[in-house]
PDB file of all heavy atoms in Angstrom:
ATOM      1  N   TYR Y  33      -8.215  -0.937   3.121  1.00 64.00           N
ATOM      2  CA  TYR Y  33      -7.710  -0.712   1.778  1.00 64.00           C
ATOM      3  C   TYR Y  33      -7.639  -1.992   0.957  1.00 64.00           C
ATOM      4  O   TYR Y  33      -8.151  -2.030  -0.172  1.00 64.00           O
ATOM      5  CB  TYR Y  33      -6.319  -0.058   1.837  1.00 64.00           C
ATOM      6  CG  TYR Y  33      -5.832   0.307   0.455  1.00 64.00           C
ATOM      7  CD1 TYR Y  33      -6.414   1.361  -0.230  1.00 64.00           C
ATOM      8  CD2 TYR Y  33      -4.866  -0.433  -0.202  1.00 64.00           C
ATOM      9  CE1 TYR Y  33      -6.014   1.677  -1.516  1.00 64.00           C
ATOM     10  CE2 TYR Y  33      -4.445  -0.123  -1.472  1.00 64.00           C
ATOM     11  CZ  TYR Y  33      -5.026   0.927  -2.133  1.00 64.00           C
ATOM     12  OH  TYR Y  33      -4.645   1.242  -3.400  1.00 64.00           O
ATOM     13  N   PHE Y  34      -7.024  -3.023   1.495  1.00 65.00           N
ATOM     14  CA  PHE Y  34      -6.813  -4.227   0.669  1.00 65.00           C
ATOM     15  C   PHE Y  34      -8.076  -5.064   0.495  1.00 65.00           C
ATOM     16  O   PHE Y  34      -8.325  -5.590  -0.584  1.00 65.00           O
ATOM     17  CB  PHE Y  34      -5.682  -5.080   1.244  1.00 65.00           C
ATOM     18  CG  PHE Y  34      -4.332  -4.529   0.913  1.00 65.00           C
ATOM     19  CD1 PHE Y  34      -3.568  -3.893   1.861  1.00 65.00           C
ATOM     20  CD2 PHE Y  34      -3.850  -4.612  -0.387  1.00 65.00           C
ATOM     21  CE1 PHE Y  34      -2.335  -3.362   1.540  1.00 65.00           C
ATOM     22  CE2 PHE Y  34      -2.612  -4.090  -0.720  1.00 65.00           C
ATOM     23  CZ  PHE Y  34      -1.853  -3.454   0.249  1.00 65.00           C
ATOM     24  N   MET Y  35      -8.872  -5.209   1.532  1.00 64.00           N
ATOM     25  CA  MET Y  35     -10.037  -6.083   1.422  1.00 64.00           C
ATOM     26  C   MET Y  35     -11.254  -5.374   0.835  1.00 64.00           C
ATOM     27  O   MET Y  35     -12.010  -5.946   0.081  1.00 64.00           O
ATOM     28  CB  MET Y  35     -10.378  -6.665   2.776  1.00 64.00           C
ATOM     29  CG  MET Y  35      -9.383  -7.717   3.240  1.00 64.00           C
ATOM     30  SD  MET Y  35      -9.838  -8.478   4.806  1.00 64.00           S
ATOM     31  CE  MET Y  35     -11.469  -9.099   4.481  1.00 64.00           C
ATOM     32  N   TRP Y  36     -11.463  -4.144   1.231  1.00 64.00           N
ATOM     33  CA  TRP Y  36     -12.712  -3.488   0.885  1.00 64.00           C
ATOM     34  C   TRP Y  36     -12.591  -2.555  -0.305  1.00 64.00           C
ATOM     35  O   TRP Y  36     -13.582  -2.257  -0.958  1.00 64.00           O
ATOM     36  CB  TRP Y  36     -13.234  -2.691   2.058  1.00 64.00           C
ATOM     37  CG  TRP Y  36     -13.629  -3.479   3.256  1.00 64.00           C
ATOM     38  CD1 TRP Y  36     -13.405  -4.815   3.494  1.00 64.00           C
ATOM     39  CD2 TRP Y  36     -14.314  -2.988   4.392  1.00 64.00           C
ATOM     40  NE1 TRP Y  36     -13.907  -5.153   4.711  1.00 64.00           N
ATOM     41  CE2 TRP Y  36     -14.461  -4.066   5.287  1.00 64.00           C
ATOM     42  CE3 TRP Y  36     -14.802  -1.760   4.754  1.00 64.00           C
ATOM     43  CZ2 TRP Y  36     -15.112  -3.930   6.510  1.00 64.00           C
ATOM     44  CZ3 TRP Y  36     -15.441  -1.624   5.976  1.00 64.00           C
ATOM     45  CH2 TRP Y  36     -15.593  -2.701   6.830  1.00 64.00           C
ATOM     46  N   ILE Y  37     -11.405  -2.052  -0.563  1.00 67.00           N
ATOM     47  CA  ILE Y  37     -11.278  -1.016  -1.588  1.00 67.00           C
ATOM     48  C   ILE Y  37     -10.508  -1.502  -2.798  1.00 67.00           C
ATOM     49  O   ILE Y  37     -11.012  -1.453  -3.922  1.00 67.00           O
ATOM     50  CB  ILE Y  37     -10.620   0.245  -0.974  1.00 67.00           C
ATOM     51  CG1 ILE Y  37     -11.480   0.757   0.173  1.00 67.00           C
ATOM     52  CG2 ILE Y  37     -10.434   1.320  -2.046  1.00 67.00           C
ATOM     53  CD1 ILE Y  37     -10.819   1.734   1.058  1.00 67.00           C
ATOM     54  N   LEU Y  38      -9.298  -1.968  -2.574  1.00 70.00           N
ATOM     55  CA  LEU Y  38      -8.460  -2.384  -3.703  1.00 70.00           C
ATOM     56  C   LEU Y  38      -9.005  -3.628  -4.400  1.00 70.00           C
ATOM     57  O   LEU Y  38      -8.899  -3.772  -5.603  1.00 70.00           O
ATOM     58  CB  LEU Y  38      -7.017  -2.624  -3.251  1.00 70.00           C
ATOM     59  CG  LEU Y  38      -6.017  -2.866  -4.373  1.00 70.00           C
ATOM     60  CD1 LEU Y  38      -5.937  -1.640  -5.295  1.00 70.00           C
ATOM     61  CD2 LEU Y  38      -4.646  -3.164  -3.782  1.00 70.00           C
ATOM     62  N   GLY Y  39      -9.643  -4.530  -3.645  1.00 70.00           N
ATOM     63  CA  GLY Y  39     -10.198  -5.749  -4.225  1.00 70.00           C
ATOM     64  C   GLY Y  39     -11.133  -5.482  -5.403  1.00 70.00           C
ATOM     65  O   GLY Y  39     -10.872  -5.931  -6.516  1.00 70.00           O
ATOM     66  N   PRO Y  40     -12.194  -4.724  -5.176  1.00 66.00           N
ATOM     67  CA  PRO Y  40     -13.115  -4.482  -6.288  1.00 66.00           C
ATOM     68  C   PRO Y  40     -12.620  -3.461  -7.309  1.00 66.00           C
ATOM     69  O   PRO Y  40     -13.048  -3.465  -8.443  1.00 66.00           O
ATOM     70  CB  PRO Y  40     -14.394  -3.982  -5.629  1.00 66.00           C
ATOM     71  CG  PRO Y  40     -14.074  -3.675  -4.228  1.00 66.00           C
ATOM     72  CD  PRO Y  40     -12.732  -4.258  -3.904  1.00 66.00           C
ATOM     73  N   TYR Y  41     -11.706  -2.590  -6.934  1.00 67.00           N
ATOM     74  CA  TYR Y  41     -11.287  -1.497  -7.812  1.00 67.00           C
ATOM     75  C   TYR Y  41      -9.783  -1.404  -7.951  1.00 67.00           C
ATOM     76  O   TYR Y  41      -9.181  -0.438  -7.537  1.00 67.00           O
ATOM     77  CB  TYR Y  41     -11.840  -0.164  -7.279  1.00 67.00           C
ATOM     78  CG  TYR Y  41     -13.321  -0.204  -7.166  1.00 67.00           C
ATOM     79  CD1 TYR Y  41     -13.946  -0.217  -5.944  1.00 67.00           C
ATOM     80  CD2 TYR Y  41     -14.083  -0.302  -8.321  1.00 67.00           C
ATOM     81  CE1 TYR Y  41     -15.310  -0.311  -5.859  1.00 67.00           C
ATOM     82  CE2 TYR Y  41     -15.444  -0.392  -8.225  1.00 67.00           C
ATOM     83  CZ  TYR Y  41     -16.054  -0.405  -7.008  1.00 67.00           C
ATOM     84  OH  TYR Y  41     -17.399  -0.513  -6.921  1.00 67.00           O
ATOM     85  N   PHE Y  42      -9.187  -2.391  -8.574  1.00 74.00           N
ATOM     86  CA  PHE Y  42      -7.739  -2.381  -8.705  1.00 74.00           C
ATOM     87  C   PHE Y  42      -7.267  -1.655  -9.971  1.00 74.00           C
ATOM     88  O   PHE Y  42      -6.130  -1.235 -10.053  1.00 74.00           O
ATOM     89  CB  PHE Y  42      -7.170  -3.808  -8.688  1.00 74.00           C
ATOM     90  CG  PHE Y  42      -7.731  -4.679  -9.765  1.00 74.00           C
ATOM     91  CD1 PHE Y  42      -7.117  -4.735 -11.018  1.00 74.00           C
ATOM     92  CD2 PHE Y  42      -8.878  -5.425  -9.535  1.00 74.00           C
ATOM     93  CE1 PHE Y  42      -7.645  -5.545 -12.020  1.00 74.00           C
ATOM     94  CE2 PHE Y  42      -9.410  -6.226 -10.541  1.00 74.00           C
ATOM     95  CZ  PHE Y  42      -8.790  -6.300 -11.792  1.00 74.00           C
ATOM     96  N   GLU Y  43      -8.159  -1.468 -10.948  1.00 78.00           N
ATOM     97  CA  GLU Y  43      -7.743  -0.825 -12.181  1.00 78.00           C
ATOM     98  C   GLU Y  43      -7.504   0.678 -11.964  1.00 78.00           C
ATOM     99  O   GLU Y  43      -8.188   1.307 -11.153  1.00 78.00           O
ATOM    100  CB  GLU Y  43      -8.819  -0.990 -13.275  1.00 78.00           C
ATOM    101  CG  GLU Y  43      -9.024  -2.423 -13.720  1.00 78.00           C
ATOM    102  CD  GLU Y  43     -10.257  -3.040 -13.076  1.00 78.00           C
ATOM    103  OE1 GLU Y  43     -10.682  -2.560 -12.021  1.00 78.00           O
ATOM    104  OE2 GLU Y  43     -10.777  -4.009 -13.622  1.00 78.00           O
ATOM    105  N   PRO Y  44      -6.552   1.246 -12.678  1.00 79.00           N
ATOM    106  CA  PRO Y  44      -6.188   2.667 -12.492  1.00 79.00           C
ATOM    107  C   PRO Y  44      -7.356   3.633 -12.701  1.00 79.00           C
ATOM    108  O   PRO Y  44      -7.445   4.657 -12.016  1.00 79.00           O
ATOM    109  CB  PRO Y  44      -5.096   2.914 -13.530  1.00 79.00           C
ATOM    110  CG  PRO Y  44      -4.571   1.583 -13.881  1.00 79.00           C
ATOM    111  CD  PRO Y  44      -5.676   0.593 -13.665  1.00 79.00           C
TER     112      PRO Y  44
END
Side-chain angles (χ1 to χ4, degrees):
Y33 185 72
F34 282 106
M35 288 183 56
W36 295 10
I37 301 165
L38 189 61
Y41 302 110
F42 59 89
E43 294 101 337

